[in-house]
Amino acid sequence: MAVVAREATAQDDQCVRDRAAMVETIRSYARSAGTSLGPQGLSERVLEAMAQTKRHLFIPERSCAIAYADRPVPIGLGQTISQPYIVALMTELAEVAPDHVVLEIGTGSGYQAAILARLARKVCTIEIIPQLAETAAKTLKDLAYDNVSVRLGDGFDGWPECGPFDAIVVTAALGQPPPPLIEQLKVGGRLVMPVGSAYTTQQLTVVEKITPDKTTTRSVALVRFVPFTRSQN
Protein backbone atom coordinates (compact mmCIF):
# COMPACT_ATOMS: atom_id res chain seq x y z
CA MET A 1 0.00 0.00 0.00
CA ALA A 2 2.84 2.37 0.85
CA VAL A 3 4.47 1.70 -2.53
CA VAL A 4 1.20 2.40 -4.35
CA ALA A 5 0.75 5.64 -2.40
CA ARG A 6 4.29 6.78 -3.25
CA GLU A 7 3.72 6.00 -6.92
CA ALA A 8 0.44 7.95 -6.93
CA THR A 9 2.12 10.92 -5.24
CA ALA A 10 4.99 10.84 -7.74
CA GLN A 11 2.48 10.79 -10.61
CA ASP A 12 0.55 13.73 -9.11
CA ASP A 13 3.77 15.70 -8.70
CA GLN A 14 4.69 15.02 -12.32
CA CYS A 15 1.26 16.21 -13.46
CA VAL A 16 1.71 19.46 -11.52
CA ARG A 17 5.10 20.01 -13.19
CA ASP A 18 3.73 19.17 -16.62
CA ARG A 19 0.78 21.53 -16.15
CA ALA A 20 3.07 24.36 -15.01
CA ALA A 21 5.28 23.78 -18.06
CA MET A 22 2.18 23.89 -20.27
CA VAL A 23 1.20 27.27 -18.85
CA GLU A 24 4.68 28.68 -19.48
CA THR A 25 4.54 27.40 -23.06
CA ILE A 26 1.17 29.09 -23.54
CA ARG A 27 2.46 32.34 -22.01
CA SER A 28 5.53 32.37 -24.24
CA TYR A 29 3.61 31.49 -27.38
CA ALA A 30 0.97 34.16 -26.73
CA ARG A 31 3.65 36.85 -26.57
CA SER A 32 5.25 35.83 -29.85
CA ALA A 33 2.40 34.45 -31.94
CA GLY A 34 1.45 37.75 -33.53
CA THR A 35 -2.22 37.58 -32.60
CA SER A 36 -4.31 40.63 -31.77
CA LEU A 37 -3.88 40.07 -28.04
CA GLY A 38 -1.24 42.78 -27.93
CA PRO A 39 2.15 42.76 -26.23
CA GLN A 40 0.67 41.82 -22.85
CA GLY A 41 -0.27 38.38 -24.13
CA LEU A 42 -2.86 36.43 -22.17
CA SER A 43 -4.38 37.68 -18.93
CA GLU A 44 -3.30 36.18 -15.63
CA ARG A 45 -6.92 35.16 -14.96
CA VAL A 46 -6.94 32.91 -18.01
CA LEU A 47 -3.47 31.53 -17.31
CA GLU A 48 -4.46 30.77 -13.72
CA ALA A 49 -7.59 28.93 -14.92
CA MET A 50 -5.38 26.85 -17.21
CA ALA A 51 -2.98 26.18 -14.33
CA GLN A 52 -5.77 25.03 -11.98
CA THR A 53 -7.65 22.77 -14.39
CA LYS A 54 -6.57 19.11 -14.57
CA ARG A 55 -6.62 18.60 -18.32
CA HIS A 56 -5.47 14.98 -18.01
CA LEU A 57 -8.81 14.09 -16.41
CA PHE A 58 -10.62 15.21 -19.58
CA ILE A 59 -8.88 12.84 -22.03
CA PRO A 60 -9.38 9.06 -22.36
CA GLU A 61 -5.76 8.17 -21.55
CA ARG A 62 -5.63 10.23 -18.34
CA SER A 63 -1.95 10.74 -19.23
CA CYS A 64 -0.25 13.94 -18.10
CA ALA A 65 2.49 13.56 -20.71
CA ILE A 66 -0.17 13.58 -23.42
CA ALA A 67 -2.56 16.07 -21.84
CA TYR A 68 -0.10 18.88 -21.15
CA ALA A 69 1.75 18.86 -24.46
CA ASP A 70 0.67 21.82 -26.59
CA ARG A 71 -1.23 19.82 -29.19
CA PRO A 72 -4.76 18.55 -29.82
CA VAL A 73 -5.74 15.18 -28.34
CA PRO A 74 -8.30 12.75 -29.84
CA ILE A 75 -11.19 11.99 -27.49
CA GLY A 76 -12.94 9.42 -29.67
CA LEU A 77 -15.86 9.46 -32.09
CA GLY A 78 -13.91 11.62 -34.52
CA GLN A 79 -13.59 14.51 -32.05
CA THR A 80 -10.59 16.20 -30.45
CA ILE A 81 -9.77 18.36 -27.46
CA SER A 82 -8.07 21.53 -28.74
CA GLN A 83 -4.44 22.28 -28.02
CA PRO A 84 -4.03 24.20 -24.74
CA TYR A 85 -2.90 27.43 -26.43
CA ILE A 86 -6.03 27.58 -28.58
CA VAL A 87 -8.24 26.92 -25.53
CA ALA A 88 -6.51 29.78 -23.71
CA LEU A 89 -6.70 32.07 -26.75
CA MET A 90 -10.43 31.51 -27.30
CA THR A 91 -11.10 32.02 -23.60
CA GLU A 92 -9.13 35.27 -23.62
CA LEU A 93 -10.94 36.57 -26.69
CA ALA A 94 -14.31 35.88 -25.05
CA GLU A 95 -13.39 38.33 -22.24
CA VAL A 96 -15.24 36.36 -19.57
CA ALA A 97 -15.96 38.20 -16.31
CA PRO A 98 -16.93 36.70 -12.91
CA ASP A 99 -20.60 37.66 -13.25
CA HIS A 100 -20.99 36.39 -16.82
CA VAL A 101 -23.22 33.68 -18.23
CA VAL A 102 -21.41 31.83 -21.02
CA LEU A 103 -22.62 29.44 -23.71
CA GLU A 104 -20.32 26.82 -25.21
CA ILE A 105 -21.23 24.91 -28.35
CA GLY A 106 -19.36 21.61 -28.62
CA THR A 107 -18.76 20.29 -25.11
CA GLY A 108 -16.48 17.47 -26.23
CA SER A 109 -14.75 16.13 -23.14
CA GLY A 110 -15.77 19.13 -21.02
CA TYR A 111 -12.30 20.73 -20.75
CA GLN A 112 -13.15 24.10 -22.32
CA ALA A 113 -16.30 24.26 -20.18
CA ALA A 114 -14.17 23.63 -17.08
CA ILE A 115 -11.86 26.52 -17.99
CA LEU A 116 -14.83 28.83 -18.57
CA ALA A 117 -16.44 27.70 -15.30
CA ARG A 118 -13.44 29.01 -13.35
CA LEU A 119 -13.97 32.46 -14.85
CA ALA A 120 -17.75 32.85 -15.18
CA ARG A 121 -20.79 32.70 -12.91
CA LYS A 122 -22.55 30.12 -15.08
CA VAL A 123 -21.67 27.99 -18.12
CA CYS A 124 -24.21 26.31 -20.38
CA THR A 125 -22.68 23.83 -22.83
CA ILE A 126 -24.26 21.80 -25.64
CA GLU A 127 -22.93 18.57 -27.18
CA ILE A 128 -24.60 16.73 -30.06
CA ILE A 129 -22.88 13.35 -29.58
CA PRO A 130 -24.65 11.42 -26.79
CA GLN A 131 -21.61 9.49 -25.53
CA LEU A 132 -19.52 12.65 -25.23
CA ALA A 133 -22.31 14.61 -23.55
CA GLU A 134 -22.82 11.86 -20.98
CA THR A 135 -19.11 11.46 -20.24
CA ALA A 136 -18.48 15.19 -20.02
CA ALA A 137 -21.43 15.73 -17.69
CA LYS A 138 -20.17 12.98 -15.39
CA THR A 139 -16.59 14.28 -15.40
CA LEU A 140 -17.68 17.84 -14.64
CA LYS A 141 -19.99 16.65 -11.87
CA ASP A 142 -17.32 14.39 -10.34
CA LEU A 143 -14.89 17.33 -10.32
CA ALA A 144 -17.50 19.58 -8.64
CA TYR A 145 -18.00 22.06 -11.46
CA ASP A 146 -21.39 22.94 -10.08
CA ASN A 147 -21.88 26.03 -12.25
CA VAL A 148 -21.87 24.04 -15.51
CA SER A 149 -25.00 22.65 -17.20
CA VAL A 150 -24.60 20.13 -20.05
CA ARG A 151 -27.29 19.66 -22.66
CA LEU A 152 -27.52 17.03 -25.42
CA GLY A 153 -28.58 18.52 -28.74
CA ASP A 154 -27.85 20.57 -31.86
CA GLY A 155 -26.01 23.73 -30.83
CA PHE A 156 -26.96 25.73 -33.93
CA ASP A 157 -30.09 27.08 -32.24
CA GLY A 158 -28.30 27.82 -28.98
CA TRP A 159 -29.97 27.54 -25.58
CA PRO A 160 -32.42 30.45 -25.17
CA GLU A 161 -33.66 29.29 -21.76
CA CYS A 162 -30.14 29.51 -20.37
CA GLY A 163 -29.35 32.95 -21.82
CA PRO A 164 -29.00 35.67 -22.82
CA PHE A 165 -25.23 35.27 -22.87
CA ASP A 166 -22.32 37.57 -22.16
CA ALA A 167 -20.05 35.33 -24.22
CA ILE A 168 -20.39 32.37 -26.58
CA VAL A 169 -17.56 29.98 -27.49
CA VAL A 170 -18.05 27.61 -30.42
CA THR A 171 -15.52 24.78 -30.70
CA ALA A 172 -16.40 23.55 -34.20
CA ALA A 173 -16.09 25.17 -37.62
CA LEU A 174 -18.94 26.54 -39.70
CA GLY A 175 -19.11 28.80 -42.74
CA GLN A 176 -20.67 31.62 -40.74
CA PRO A 177 -21.84 32.23 -37.16
CA PRO A 178 -25.34 30.83 -36.57
CA PRO A 179 -27.88 33.69 -36.44
CA PRO A 180 -29.65 32.24 -33.34
CA LEU A 181 -26.39 32.51 -31.40
CA ILE A 182 -25.97 36.16 -32.37
CA GLU A 183 -29.56 36.77 -31.27
CA GLN A 184 -28.90 35.20 -27.86
CA LEU A 185 -25.76 37.28 -27.31
CA LYS A 186 -26.13 40.31 -25.06
CA VAL A 187 -25.24 43.75 -26.39
CA GLY A 188 -21.55 44.15 -25.62
CA GLY A 189 -21.08 40.38 -25.67
CA ARG A 190 -18.66 38.38 -27.78
CA LEU A 191 -18.90 35.21 -29.84
CA VAL A 192 -15.65 33.37 -30.56
CA MET A 193 -15.55 30.58 -33.15
CA PRO A 194 -13.65 29.14 -36.11
CA VAL A 195 -15.25 30.30 -39.37
CA GLY A 196 -14.60 28.42 -42.58
CA SER A 197 -14.98 25.12 -44.38
CA ALA A 198 -14.56 21.74 -42.73
CA TYR A 199 -11.29 19.83 -42.94
CA THR A 200 -9.29 22.89 -43.99
CA THR A 201 -7.80 25.98 -42.40
CA GLN A 202 -10.35 28.31 -40.80
CA GLN A 203 -10.26 31.81 -39.34
CA LEU A 204 -10.63 32.11 -35.58
CA THR A 205 -13.21 34.89 -35.50
CA VAL A 206 -14.55 37.28 -32.87
CA VAL A 207 -18.03 38.72 -33.34
CA GLU A 208 -18.94 41.57 -30.98
CA LYS A 209 -22.54 42.70 -30.61
CA ILE A 210 -22.55 46.50 -30.65
CA THR A 211 -26.32 47.11 -30.69
CA PRO A 212 -29.32 44.75 -30.94
CA ASP A 213 -29.00 44.94 -34.74
CA LYS A 214 -25.29 45.57 -35.30
CA THR A 215 -22.15 43.45 -34.91
CA THR A 216 -18.48 43.82 -35.73
CA THR A 217 -16.32 40.92 -36.88
CA ARG A 218 -12.56 40.40 -36.88
CA SER A 219 -10.31 37.47 -37.69
CA VAL A 220 -7.59 36.66 -35.19
CA ALA A 221 -5.67 33.56 -36.28
CA LEU A 222 -5.65 30.58 -38.59
CA VAL A 223 -6.92 27.37 -36.95
CA ARG A 224 -8.14 23.88 -37.83
CA PHE A 225 -11.26 22.60 -36.05
CA VAL A 226 -13.58 19.67 -36.57
CA PRO A 227 -16.77 20.55 -38.50
CA PHE A 228 -19.89 21.83 -36.77
CA THR A 229 -22.22 18.82 -36.58
CA ARG A 230 -25.93 19.34 -37.19
CA SER A 231 -28.83 17.11 -36.20
CA GLN A 232 -30.20 15.03 -39.08
CA ASN A 233 -33.67 15.85 -37.80
Side-chain angles (χ1 to χ4, degrees), residues 19-31 47:
R19 193 157 57 250
M22 177 197 74
V23 171
E24 289 310 308
T25 297
I26 293 169
R27 189 195 302 272
S28 175
Y29 192 44
R31 288 173 175 166
L47 290 170

Side-chain angles (χ1 to χ4, degrees), residues 54-209:
K54 297 180 178 180
R55 180 176 163 95
H56 64 284
L57 300 182
F58 291 89
I59 65 171
E61 297 87 350
R62 299 280 176 120
S63 163
C64 292
I66 295 173
Y68 298 115
D70 193 47
R71 61 174 182 262
V73 178
I75 56 173
L77 302 168
Q79 305 300 301
T80 62
I81 179 173
S82 297
Q83 73 180 91
Y85 173 69
I86 294 299
V87 173
L89 176 60
M90 294 181 75
T91 304
E92 182 74 32
L93 293 171
E95 294 191 353
V96 179
D99 61 340
H100 279 182
V101 177
V102 180
L103 174 65
E104 181 198 25
I105 305 300
T107 313
S109 70
Y111 178 66
Q112 174 74 79
I115 296 292
L116 294 169
R118 292 186 178 274
L119 301 169
R121 176 173 64 85
K122 179 182 178 182
V123 177
C124 305
T125 180
I126 304 175
E127 173 57 53
I128 197 169
I129 300 175
Q131 299 96 312
L132 292 181
E134 181 180 353
T135 300
K138 183 179 186 306
T139 300
L140 290 162
K141 181 179 179 181
D142 290 347
L143 295 175
Y145 286 95
D146 298 329
N147 60 334
V148 181
S149 298
V150 181
R151 179 179 182 177
L152 174 64
D154 186 337
F156 189 91
D157 293 321
W159 194 343
E161 303 85 355
C162 216
F165 302 102
D166 299 281
I168 299 175
V169 175
V170 181
T171 63
L174 197 62
Q176 63 180 11
L181 300 187
I182 302 296
E183 183 177 341
Q184 291 167 40
L185 194 63
K186 290 182 182 179
V187 172
R190 290 178 160 213
L191 181 149
V192 181
M193 70 173 291
V195 174
S197 302
Y199 307 112
T200 186
T201 301
Q202 302 114 14
Q203 291 281 349
L204 184 58
T205 301
V206 179
V207 179
E208 188 168 2
K209 194 168 185 178

